[in-house]
């Protein structure tokens, strides 16, 4: 038997004890069930919308669901699992071993600090409860849908990620818009908690997560508009941050003759933001990382997380204004 209490001990820092009952429309739940009938899915999707105010997406096999979660692990916020589903497209339906396989996989993910709240929705509820009596199992087709969605809502609301989404919706909208890779969600949870003085982990780990997020935004900008920044700034694979932000700030140069700043390309970011990101680039560079005489202070790290957030909010608004209809 796989005990849900054991599984939930792996939640670690992604558990938050206070329930937040307000669900945003950006919540997505993945249903893993091999029933392909619209008569099954559509009423359930309507219930998800009405009760959880969330979007329900279906995967027909655990193999398909695993691929979805591996490619975009933080796009989904909860799971509804069939009790006897199909492991893969070529395997048998109503597999007695389905649930054990899925719960083992979820336990392994939780051990790596990736916890996804789940409920089990099955027409075999009585049988499954005999061997999984501590799992959240709900009857399929017997009017337990509202109870099931309410329970899943409580589980989702209890995660650290959801707490941060509620407290900092303007920051986590970056992931909803898919303009920052979802693999950085755990890092962003740590960043906002550190900035808000509620982080209790290793602050150096947070410090080292800043630069990859910054670099990711420039890759995303280049995908959106490859004419915005010259290709030469991406020639080495990793973006030349100094060159890019100088270009976006208008390729500015101070003129001794006029005593003013002159601009030689389109000015996309303000000079104050340029100086802020330039500082961030300098302090978080590989060279700087190797030359700290002692561990960076929390004040320095918090200065950098604040600078990153300031830049990310500008970046989000710039993308929304120019590339998202």
């Amino acid at each position: 038997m796989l005990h849900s209490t054991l599984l939930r001990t792996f939640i670690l820092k992604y558990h938050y004890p206070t329930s937040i009952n307000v669900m945003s429309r950006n919540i997505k739940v993945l249903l893993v069930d091999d029933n392909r009938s619209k008569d099954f899915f559509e009423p359930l999707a309507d219930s998800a919308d009405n009760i959880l105010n969330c979007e329900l997406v279906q995967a027909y096999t655990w193999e398909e669901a695993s691929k979805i979660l591996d490619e975009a692990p933080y796009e989904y916020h909860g799971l509804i699992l069939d009790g006897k589903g199909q492991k893969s497209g070529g395997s048998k339906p109503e597999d007695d071993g389905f649930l054990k396989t899925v719960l083992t996989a979820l336990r392994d993910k939780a051990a790596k600090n990736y916890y996804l709240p789940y409920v089990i929705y099955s027409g075999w509820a009585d049988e499954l409860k005999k061997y999984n009596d501590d799992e959240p199992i709900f009857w399929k087709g017997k009017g337990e849908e509202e109870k099931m969605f309410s329970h899943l809502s409580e589980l989702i609301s209890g995660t650290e990620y959801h707490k941060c989404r509620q407290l900092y919706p303007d920051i986590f909208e970056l992931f909803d818009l898919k303009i920052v890779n979802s693999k950085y969600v755990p890092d962003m949870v740590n960043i906002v908690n550190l900035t808000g003085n509620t982080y209790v982990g290793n602050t150096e780990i947070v410090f080292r997560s800043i630069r990859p997020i910054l670099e990711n935004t420039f890759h995303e900008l280049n995908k959106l508009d490859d004419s915005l920044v010259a290709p030469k700034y991406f020639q080495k694979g990793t973006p030349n941050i100094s060159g890019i932000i100088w270009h976006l700030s208008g390729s500015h140069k101070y003129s001794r003759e006029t005593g003013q700043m002159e601009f030689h390309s389109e000015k996309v970011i303000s000079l104050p933001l340029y100086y802020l990101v330039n500082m961030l680039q300098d302090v978080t560079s590989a060279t700087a990382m190797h030359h700290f005489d002692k561990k960076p202070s929390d004040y320095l790290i918090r200065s950098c997380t604040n600078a990153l957030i300031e830049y990310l909010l500008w970046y989000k608004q710039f993308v929304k204004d120019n590339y998202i209809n």
Side-chain angles (χ1 to χ4, degrees), residues 56-220:
L56 188 67
V57 178
Q58 185 172 7
Y60 297 115
T61 68
W62 176 241
E63 181 181 61
E64 181 187 353
S66 295
K67 184 178 180 182
I68 290 171
L69 296 177
D70 287 343
E71 291 177 351
Y74 294 93
E75 186 172 339
Y76 291 88
H77 311 98
L79 283 171
I80 299 175
L81 304 170
D82 191 3
K84 294 185 179 183
Q86 198 169 4
K87 295 177 184 177
S88 66
S91 63
K92 65 178 181 178
E94 295 190 358
D95 190 334
D96 289 339
F98 174 82
L99 192 57
K100 182 178 180 180
T101 296
V102 174
L103 294 182
T104 299
L106 292 177
R107 181 184 60 189
D108 291 343
K109 288 178 182 294
K112 299 174 183 176
N113 285 349
Y114 174 64
Y115 170 69
L116 196 61
Y118 65 87
V119 293
I120 299 160
Y121 184 52
S122 175
W124 307 87
D126 281 348
E127 178 184 336
L128 293 173
K129 287 178 180 179
K130 291 179 182 179
Y131 304 100
N132 305 275
D133 59 350
D134 55 354
E135 295 290 353
I137 301 173
F138 299 88
W139 271 104
K140 183 183 290 184
K142 290 193 177 183
E144 292 196 345
E145 287 75 21
E146 183 172 353
K147 183 179 177 182
M148 176 183 72
F149 281 119
S150 295
H151 184 77
L152 185 58
S153 170
E154 292 178 4
L155 294 177
I156 293 173
S157 297
T159 62
E160 185 71 9
Y161 168 48
H162 189 70
K163 180 207 76 170
C164 289
R165 282 182 60 92
Q166 297 295 318
L167 293 176
Y168 308 99
D170 53 344
I171 297 171
F172 282 84
E173 188 184 11
L174 289 154
F175 300 104
D176 299 330
L177 296 172
K178 298 183 179 180
I179 56 176
V180 172
N181 194 302
S182 65
K183 70 181 181 181
Y184 297 115
V185 165
D187 297 318
M188 192 62 68
V189 168
N190 292 339
I191 285 168
V192 297
N193 280 336
L194 178 64
T195 303
N197 294 316
T198 58
Y199 181 72
V200 295
N202 186 337
T203 56
E204 284 192 81
I205 293 175
V206 182
F207 191 41
R208 293 179 183 277
S209 71
I210 292 172
R211 189 180 180 89
I213 295 174
L214 188 62
E215 291 181 350
N216 181 243
T217 66
F218 292 119
H219 279 301
E220 294 298 326

Side-chain angles (χ1 to χ4, degrees), residues 34-62:
D34 59 356
N35 189 335
R36 297 172 181 263
S37 170
K38 290 183 178 180
D39 292 337
F40 164 70
F41 177 76
E42 290 181 356
L44 196 63
D46 288 341
S47 295
D49 188 18
N50 293 332
I51 300 169
L52 266 183
N53 193 28
C54 79
E55 178 184 356
L56 188 67
V57 178
Q58 185 172 7
Y60 297 115
T61 68
W62 176 241

